[in-house]
Amino acid sequence: MKDTPAPQPEPLPAPVTDSHTHLDTTQEYTGLAVEELLRRAAEAGVTRTVQIGCDLESSRWAVELAAVEPSVVATVAIHPNDAARLAEAHGRAALDEALRRIEELAADQRPDVVRGVGETGLDFYRTHEGPGREAQRESFAAHLAIARRNGLTVSIHDRDAHAEVLDVLEAEGVPERFIMHCFSGDAAVARQFLDRGAWLSFPGTATFPANESLREAYDLVPLDRLLVETDAPFLTPAPRRGWPNAGYLLPHTVRYLAQRRGMDVADFCHVLERNTHEAYGGRWPEHAAGSSK
């Protein structure tokens, strides 16, 4: 991966939200401070950001950032791989305690600070053993309950576990609002999640030449169920593969997906922005566009 930031793209003609990113990690990969990342994103037309929690530390960091940065909202969670590692290293009681603390963060009542629980879900690509996978399932179920009790959106990580994620959703109850983050399934998998009311979020992987089955899934998603994300600093879209990803590179994905639909880019941006507000429980206040710094 290149050790310099990627060039700034042409700005989008209308604002969009990066619906899933990791600013804490992105600043390490790019060498750019969070304030600079948000400034570059706003200049590119990416005026709002959903900062995702993956463990206690990053979840607290996300909440603290969202409390002072009006263009950012937070989600909080223990990532499925972290749930498996925590249970294996320290026992199930340690995972239960971490989940209790996640709920404390999720219950934050300050307006437009915590909007979601995630990323949670299942990852069978990195977690292979039965006990780890069982810890993931229990953690996923607990996160669904936390979201339900606090009226929050669920951001779901699903890697090599489509059927199992569906099984947990059926067993625990489908959330009122949930997003399949970094959707990676084919058209058949997309239909199953859409039938249950999901929003499907597409990152830079949709621009990769080898991912035609992902694009076929994208083609069938109704316009009102589409989201975009960076998952920065990972999954950098073409033509900037090889650089660390960041919010200001989201226009490459947006333009690619708009062209695939045969849509005007500005119209597509308006659709995405409306969808993001709905997926995360309502509009951000108007003053939240862009950075306050």
Side-chain angles (χ1 to χ4, degrees):
M1 185 175 286
K2 299 181 181 181
D3 57 4
T4 57
Q8 186 86 6
E10 178 185 352
L12 291 167
V16 297
T17 296
D18 184 353
S19 72
H20 187 114
T21 200
H22 305 276
L23 286 163
D24 46 344
T25 311
T26 302
Q27 65 180 347
E28 297 174 10
Y29 275 66
T30 61
L32 300 173
V34 168
E35 293 82 2
E36 176 67 7
L37 289 167
L38 292 173
R39 185 189 67 79
R40 290 192 182 204
E43 288 181 356
V46 183
T47 58
R48 293 179 170 91
T49 298
V50 182
Q51 170 65 21
I52 303 295
C54 288
D55 56 20
L56 276 175
E57 181 180 359
S58 64
S59 294
R60 290 191 186 106
W61 191 91
V63 171
E64 290 169 2
L65 178 64
V68 299
E69 174 50 65
S71 68
V72 176
V73 296
T75 73
V76 297
I78 307 296
H79 188 284
N81 288 324
D82 287 282
R85 286 191 289 264
L86 183 60
E88 180 181 6
H90 302 289
R92 200 61 58 88
L95 177 58
D96 290 342
E97 175 62 16
L99 290 167
R100 185 187 67 79
R101 295 184 182 183
I102 288 294
E103 178 142 28
E104 290 176 352
L105 293 171
D108 193 306
Q109 295 298 306
R110 288 172 292 182
D112 302 302
V113 172
V114 178
R115 285 288 187 114
V117 170
E119 59 189 280
T120 183
L122 301 175
D123 188 319
F124 290 174
Y125 176 79
R126 296 193 183 279
T127 299
H128 306 288
E129 300 300 323
R133 291 185 175 188
E134 185 57 32
Q136 286 193 6
R137 289 188 185 94
E138 292 186 9
S139 177
F140 185 18
H143 281 89
L144 293 172
I146 290 169
R148 185 165 51 250
R149 287 192 290 268
N150 292 279
L152 297 173
T153 298
V154 182
S155 177
I156 296 178
H157 174 104
D158 168 19
R159 189 167 187 186
D160 291 357
H162 306 314
E164 293 82 0
V165 167
L166 287 164
D167 287 345
V168 173
L169 291 176
E170 291 300 317
E172 302 298 326
V174 175
E176 180 181 356
R177 298 184 307 274
F178 74 105
I179 297 164
M180 298 309 298
H181 138 66
C182 191
F183 181 74
S184 60
D186 60 15
V189 173
R191 288 191 185 93
Q192 290 181 292
F193 285 112
L194 289 168
D195 286 347
R196 290 161 175 81
W199 283 271
L200 304 190
S201 185
F202 290 85
T205 50
T207 72
F208 297 180
N211 285 347
E212 187 58 27
S213 64
L214 179 60
R215 287 185 286 275
E216 290 172 356
Y218 166 76
D219 291 342
L220 67 82
V221 180
L223 270 179
D224 64 353
R225 291 284 129 179
L226 285 173
L227 297 176
V228 292
E229 64 176 85
T230 59
D231 199 23
F234 314 108
L235 310 182
T236 311
R240 298 305 181 207
R241 295 182 71 180
W243 273 281
N245 203 4
Y248 69 88
L249 297 179
L250 189 62
H252 294 298
T253 303
V254 171
R255 286 194 166 90
Y256 182 92
L257 294 176
Q259 182 180 31
R260 175 93 180 178
R261 287 271 166 141
M263 288 185 65
D264 173 78
V265 175
D267 291 342
F268 192 60
C269 290
H270 292 313
V271 167
L272 293 172
E273 193 69 342
R274 182 170 62 248
N275 292 350
T276 308
H277 288 143
E278 292 178 0
Y280 276 105
R283 291 189 62 85
W284 277 260
E286 290 303 316
H287 72 267
S291 174
S292 63
K293 297 179 173 62

